[in-house]
Amino acid sequence: MKVLVLNCGSSSVKYQLFNMEDRFVLAKGQVDRIGMKGAVLSHTRHDDHKVKMAGEIIDHQAAIEYILAILISENHGVIEEREEIDAVGHRVVHGGEKFKDSVLITRDVVDNLQEFIDLAPLHNPHNIKGIRACHQLLADVPMVAVFDTAFHSNMPDYAYLYGLPYILYKRYSIRRYGFHGTSHYYVSRRARDLMEQDMEDLKIITCHLGNGCSITAVDGGASIDTSMGFTPVEGLLMGTRSGDIDPALVLHLLAKEELSVGDMNTLLNKHSGLQGVSGVSNDMREIIDAVEEEGNERARIALDIFTYRLKKYIGAYTATLGGLDALVFTGGIGENSPEVRERSTEGLGHLGIEIDQEKNYETMGVEGDITSEDARVNTYVIPTNEELVIAIDTEKIVKEETELA
Ligand code: ADP
């Protein structure tokens, strides 16, 4: 079976085409700047043949049309015709309380997703655009939605409810949902494989540190708590998001700065985090360079907030799990930054966490065990692979549906 995995953002579509027999990635790439000047498709074939094409790409449907065209093109393609694509797996950010698992996309499912736009206004509309575009372009090909929220959907109520009037939960579904679920799921399973133990016996903390950052406590294979909440703004400090703040601060700022609700949203999502604190960059590489090479004081504060808060959550989740077997770092920062891994685990020997700095500084962008010899807890760097999880779920659900039919 060949599965096309799509991740549709506001102005980008990322794709990977899998051959599921050997889980081989035939081609991958992304279209950027959709609807803007200078839209471009970057495509990489399995033999590392790369091509970049600029063009006018006015919307998500045009982007997906472009992707399908390159997948079948004589010079850059990997299949002969669109019909070779057996299924499409869509990354969908928010599944609300309804979708606790991946699901075959039907008209009803799309209607439900439409209802959740309120919950994820920055993400779900683009995911829906991608689904509708595929329906136009690949009419009979089955599609599956894989949700960022699903892995966290079985958290206990005391972890997902806020201390707000309960009626607001009932009225508006206001609760913590959590995100990055596919990534936390993948790396926790991979850690289990590396440890060669049963998932049921393991307590794992997974740190997904990319542009967005979240940390999850995984007990016996299930997410029991995660740092992102009703929206992806809660929790750790991120590239441009604030993470945890005193909620009353929002009211104070609305009044002081005479901000609109939209301005406040932009402030919390786009002008805060590493960028907002440092004034240097939202990119961890540039923050670390500014600290180490220029002694930039605000970059130092941003890095300290980032790693201090991460450490605080590692401690909190070790407590809620009642012990810890493995700590996992993933995402662009988690996979590539030994500095962040060192700073966020410094002094955690009393929890059994201790990393070997030589191994830590040798492990960048690859899988590795960076545990020091005396540590009780294994610490791993595991490159995430959300696309593979989406492809596997898509194949499974489409196969089940065909067997039922
Ligand atoms: P996204 O969340 O958009 O998928 P990524 O997982 O690719 O993002 O992570 C992007 C982050 O990874 C950026 O903050 C970038 O600075 C960081 N990053 C990438 N390489 C390194 C590195 N060598 N050292 C530190 N940070 C890195």
Side-chain angles (χ1 to χ4, degrees):
M1 181 184 277
K2 289 193 180 63
V3 174
L4 177 64
V5 173
L6 291 180
N7 179 356
C8 297
S10 59
S11 62
S12 72
V13 176
K14 294 185 185 148
Y15 64 95
Q16 287 198 15
L17 182 65
F18 283 84
N19 182 31
M20 293 312 291
E21 276 66 47
D22 50 4
R23 296 183 176 176
F24 185 69
V25 178
L26 294 163
K28 61 180 170 184
Q30 67 188 73
V31 176
D32 288 307
R33 300 184 60 81
I34 294 170
M36 297 179 233
K37 257 201 184 139
V40 61
L41 180 148
S42 320
H43 174 82
T44 305
R45 206 166 54 190
H46 59 82
D47 57 5
D48 219 29
H49 167 77
K50 288 184 198 306
V51 56
K52 262 189 193 231
M53 287 185 181
E56 201 191 347
I57 303 175
I58 54 163
D59 58 15
H60 286 71
Q61 181 155 331
I64 295 170
E65 218 160 337
Y66 213 19
I67 291 167
L68 294 173
I70 202 150
L71 288 172
I72 60 171
S73 83
E74 208 169 306
N75 293 332
H76 316 295
V78 285
I79 51 175
E80 282 178 12
E81 50 187 16
R82 283 180 189 190
E83 285 67 27
E84 284 181 52
I85 298 171
D86 299 295
V88 180
H90 290 271
R91 175 199 181 205
V92 178
V93 169
H94 216 305
E97 287 205 294
K98 185 170 175 70
F99 297 112
K100 292 179 181 285
D101 242 317
S102 306
V103 64
L104 189 77
I105 297 175
T106 60
R107 188 174 292 269
D108 281 351
V109 170
V110 177
D111 288 346
N112 284 137
L113 295 181
Q114 201 79 39
E115 288 164 23
F116 301 150
I117 284 185
D118 238 15
L119 297 177
L122 301 180
H123 299 281
N124 270 29
H126 313 296
N127 303 152
I128 295 172
K129 278 185 206 157
I131 291 169
R132 290 196 197 283
C134 281
H135 184 63
Q136 290 291 322
L137 298 166
L138 298 163
D140 296 325
V141 176
M143 298 194 282
V144 169
V146 180
F147 301 96
D148 260 28
T149 46
F151 182 50
H152 306 298
S153 64
N154 293 310
M155 289 192 289
D157 50 10
Y158 51 80
Y160 74 68
L161 283 174
Y162 291 108
L164 291 167
Y166 190 76
I167 187 71
L168 295 178
Y169 165 56
K170 286 290 163 200
R171 203 181 283 162
Y172 305 118
S173 304
I174 286 177
R175 50 160 284 178
R176 309 182 62 253
Y177 289 95
F179 299 88
H180 291 144
T182 331
S183 177
H184 291 291
Y185 172 87
Y186 174 79
V187 299
S188 60
R189 267 57 193 172
R190 187 69 204 133
R192 179 259 332 258
D193 294 345
L194 294 174
M195 294 169 86
E196 296 181 355
Q197 289 186 40
D198 287 339
M199 200 74 230
E200 297 80 66
D201 301 333
L202 291 173
K203 296 178 186 298
I204 303 176
I205 293 177
T206 51
C207 310
H208 178 107
L209 312 175
N211 280 314
C213 301
S214 67
I215 175 167
T216 295
V218 183
D219 195 0
S223 164
I224 60 156
D225 202 355
T226 190
S227 59
M228 284 179 168
F230 180 70
T231 76
V233 178
E234 192 180 340
L236 300 172
L237 193 79
M238 313 183 205
T240 58
R241 295 191 195 122
S242 66
D244 295 333
I245 57 167
D246 178 344
L249 202 52
V250 172
L251 309 177
H252 183 75
L253 279 173
L254 283 173
K256 275 270 174 214
E257 296 261 307
E258 294 179 18
L259 300 177
S260 68
V261 172
D263 294 338
M264 194 69 224
N265 197 29
T266 308
L267 177 78
L268 294 173
N269 274 288
K270 303 242 185 278
H271 297 157
S272 299
L274 293 174
Q275 172 70 54
V277 176
S278 71
V280 171
S281 172
N282 64 332
D283 188 312
M284 185 54 90
R285 280 167 292 203
E286 291 177 24
I287 297 287
I288 290 173
D289 285 350
V291 175
E292 294 186 348
E293 283 161 30
E294 300 155 27
N296 184 304
E297 189 52 13
R298 272 176 53 196
R300 195 271 306 156
I301 300 171
L303 181 59
D304 279 351
I305 299 178
F306 188 95
T307 53
Y308 171 76
R309 201 174 286 181
L310 183 54
K311 185 187 286 185
K312 201 159 81 166
Y313 268 97
I314 292 171
Y317 286 173
T318 305
T320 56
L321 283 165
L324 189 64
D325 299 299
L327 174 67
V328 181
F329 288 96
T330 193
I333 299 172
E335 292 164 31
N336 293 293
S337 177
E339 294 87 354
V340 167
R341 297 189 299 245
E342 178 178 7
R343 287 164 187 257
S344 58
T345 55
E346 229 161 39
L348 293 186
H350 59 98
L351 296 180
I353 301 167
E354 211 175 310
I355 65 180
D356 178 314
Q357 293 311 337
E358 205 171 307
K359 289 185 201 159
N360 181 32
Y361 276 83
E362 278 166 4
T363 309
M364 285 172 75
V366 290
E367 186 171 283
D369 180 345
I370 58 169
T371 317
S372 89
E373 229 167 78
D374 305 324
R376 287 198 311 277
V377 173
N378 292 315
T379 303
Y380 298 112
V381 176
I382 301 179
T384 196
N385 197 344
E386 292 156 284
E387 294 79 10
L388 178 62
V389 175
I390 296 174
I392 291 172
D393 263 20
T394 302
E395 179 190 37
K396 190 177 110 219
I397 288 176
V398 169
K399 276 193 173 159
E400 279 169 7
E401 291 296 322
T402 347
E403 276 163 21
L404 282 177

